[in-house]
Structures are given as structure tokens and as C-alpha cells.
Amino acid sequence: MFSRLSVSKKPAKGSKKAGKAAKDPNKPKRPASAFFVFMEEFREQYKREHPKNKSVAAVGKAGGDKWKSLTEDV
């Protein structure tokens, strides 16, 4: 009835990684984005206002909501 087709899965040419360059441990880090700078301050404020809340997700969600509500003028 039905015949099976065989398909050989060969890697495409040139798909092998040529080896990554080693990371330089002395390379300086990029500056923090505006959101991360905002979140540092917001976390401290949130923890003062909600000392019993230990949920990282709740802090992140509240920070994200606050960030979305901000305008460029602030």
C-alpha cells in the first residue's frame, strides 16, 4: 500500500561551528540600561513599602507596570 521514503539527515555544509573565541575576563561590562537603573531604585522602595513580600516575581511585575506607566517627561 504505502511505501516509506527514507530521508537521510546530513548536516548542511558550513554548519559546523568554527570554534568560539575565548571571552576576555578583563573586558569592561556595558552600562546598565535605563530600566535596570530604574529597577534598582524601585526594588529598594518596594521592599520598604512591602516588607513581608518576598516574591521576586511580584517585585518585577510591579516594577514593569510602573515603568510602563511612566512618561518621557519624568
Side-chain angles (χ1 to χ4, degrees):
M1 286 187 167
F2 296 102
S3 65
R4 291 188 171 197
L5 298 175
S6 66
V7 178
S8 62
K9 295 183 180 181
K10 294 181 182 177
K13 290 184 180 179
S15 67
K16 290 185 179 182
K17 294 182 180 178
K20 289 186 172 183
K23 291 185 179 182
D24 183 7
N26 297 323
K27 180 180 174 184
K29 294 183 179 184
R30 293 189 295 182
S33 68
F35 179 70
F36 279 91
V37 173
F38 164 78
M39 282 301 291
E40 284 181 32
E41 184 178 317
F42 180 81
R43 274 188 210 97
E44 292 173 12
Q45 176 187 0
Y46 189 85
K47 287 181 182 180
R48 279 190 304 244
E49 294 173 3
H50 304 89
K52 293 185 179 183
N53 188 348
K54 302 291 183 188
S55 173
V56 174
V59 176
K61 183 155 179 64
D65 292 341
K66 176 79 172 181
W67 178 258
K68 288 177 187 176
S69 69
L70 294 175
T71 61
E72 291 184 27
D73 296 336
V74 173

